[in-house]
Amino acid sequence: MDGFELPVASSTPLLDVQPTSTFRGRHVLSVRELNRDDLSYVLRVAHQMRVVTGLVGSIDLAKGRLLANLFYEPSTRTSASFNAAMKRLGGDVVSINEVRYSSVSKGETLQDTIRTLESYVDVVVLRHHQVGAAAEAAAVARKPIINAGDGAGEHPTQALLDLFTIVEELGRCEGLTVTMLGDLRYGRTVHSLSRLLALYGVKLRLVSPPSLQMPESVLADLRARGAHWTVHEDLEEVIRSTDVLYVTRVQKERFEDQAAYEAVAGAYVISPETLTRAKERMIVMHPFPRVGEILPTVDADPRAAYFRQIEYGLFVRMAILAMVLGRA
Ligand code: NCD
């Protein structure tokens, strides 16, 4: 890899970011490790990936490099976007999406699986059902581990793409009112995103049923970061002042008790009627999959940003991979 400059005929490099990055060789486990400088860097590289991908489709920053996509939990967007991102960077991917067909089903430990895969590849993307699994993997790994979701813990690359979506769509993040709606207890995307947004002086509106409120461990981090938030059960209290409405799915797979899930499933449904009370310039986001929280009839509203958010995810994951694999 020769840093971020593209060998193009024109004298103007398509990527003009510095070839060095503190991300080189680094694990991406939690947003808690990231400061404002790191975030500006990710946003800047991701924006350039967006421009370059639009112009030439793919580049060869990761030529000859291999990524392992190791998923112990279902995924469509995260695994496919890391796969596409690595290939658009000229690299290739080894995918283990069905761990039940791997030696995991024979009882192999996560540590042994990681040490095996890292023998073949340059970077490992890991999704696991246990909180802290990515950190456990990183403790034995010699190659960078990227946390693609650890149970109800964190989902740092989703938070980065969510941040990128907000900045690309609304031009800034500082001072916005961001409403997080739904399952704030088990939803790892909001655990990561709220911590990131706390660095930007965002006003957070946390809307959920009482049983699905943001965990105290996340609130403690928000407090330490000087964040400003309010807690609600009724979306109507905050919809008019919202700049970003971040809707989440109730995380059925995290409930021990099916009746408790049934009691809160379908608690919120965003419809075109809901948005009649929202600002004209605001966006609706969702990490997806949606299972009824946003009606398909909302999709035609220009404020529905969730499909664009999916596309931004490609550029952010290209940026993260290029930075982690980058040469100083
Ligand atoms: C989310 C996840 O896996 O945490 N999906 C995703 O990565 N885009 C959200 C969810 O599953 O509800």
Side-chain angles (χ1 to χ4, degrees), residues 72 96 98-109 113 116:
Y72 288 72
I96 302 194
E98 288 277 7
V99 288
R100 67 197 148 106
Y101 296 127
S102 73
S103 287
V104 169
S105 64
K106 300 181 192 168
E108 184 165 76
T109 63
T113 305
T116 303

Side-chain angles (χ1 to χ4, degrees), residues 73-78 127 148-149 151 154-155 158 161 186-189 246 248-251 253-254 286-290 317:
E73 275 193 336
S75 169
T76 300
R77 277 147 293 272
T78 308
R127 168 168 290 184
E154 278 218 40
H155 197 346
Q158 178 74 41
L161 82 85
Y186 297 117
R188 55 195 171 198
T189 67
Y246 192 98
T248 65
R249 169 180 74 92
V250 178
Q251 309 278 297
E253 66 276 28
R254 312 266 179 243
H286 193 307
F288 270 33
R290 63 174 159 181
R317 287 178 172 132

Side-chain angles (χ1 to χ4, degrees), residues 59-254:
I59 49 179
D60 63 1
L61 283 175
K63 194 159 182 243
R65 302 301 185 102
L66 273 177
L67 157 78
N69 242 346
L70 176 60
F71 280 68
Y72 288 72
E73 275 193 336
S75 169
T76 300
R77 277 147 293 272
T78 308
S79 77
S81 65
F82 268 114
N83 199 324
M86 192 62 180
K87 288 176 178 165
R88 283 188 184 268
L89 290 171
D92 215 334
V93 183
V94 174
S95 288
I96 302 194
N97 283 331
E98 288 277 7
V99 288
R100 67 197 148 106
Y101 296 127
S102 73
S103 287
V104 169
S105 64
K106 300 181 192 168
E108 184 165 76
T109 63
L110 174 64
Q111 284 83 352
D112 285 356
T113 305
I114 290 291
R115 293 194 67 175
T116 303
L117 281 176
E118 70 167 359
S119 307
Y120 310 138
V121 303
D122 303 290
V123 53
V124 178
V125 171
L126 172 69
R127 168 168 290 184
H128 199 277
H129 41 85
Q130 271 164 18
V131 176
E136 278 174 37
V140 298
R142 290 169 297 119
K143 306 274 174 67
I145 302 290
I146 299 178
N147 181 5
D150 60 330
E154 278 218 40
H155 197 346
T157 66
Q158 178 74 41
L160 291 169
L161 82 85
D162 293 339
L163 179 67
F164 184 64
T165 301
I166 294 171
V167 173
E168 294 285 299
E169 292 275 318
L170 297 177
R172 72 192 163 98
C173 197
E174 285 86 355
L176 294 180
T177 298
V178 178
T179 298
M180 297 184 169
L181 176 76
D183 187 348
L184 309 185
R185 179 177 179 188
Y186 297 117
R188 55 195 171 198
T189 67
V190 285
H191 298 169
S192 292
L193 182 60
S194 60
R195 286 172 167 127
L196 275 194
L197 294 179
L199 298 176
Y200 290 86
V202 157
K203 296 182 215 73
L204 286 171
R205 305 289 172 248
L206 306 178
V207 185
S208 73
S211 63
L212 297 181
Q213 284 178 359
M214 196 67 99
E216 186 45 47
S217 56
V218 179
L219 294 179
D221 278 354
L222 298 185
R223 208 170 285 123
R225 291 171 173 220
H228 174 276
W229 77 87
T230 53
V231 173
H232 309 264
E233 195 177 342
D234 187 356
L235 177 63
E236 291 307 315
E237 291 170 14
V238 296
I239 185 71
R240 287 185 171 78
S241 61
T242 294
D243 298 301
V244 176
L245 177 59
Y246 192 98
V247 185
T248 65
R249 169 180 74 92
V250 178
Q251 309 278 297
K252 186 178 184 185
E253 66 276 28
R254 312 266 179 243

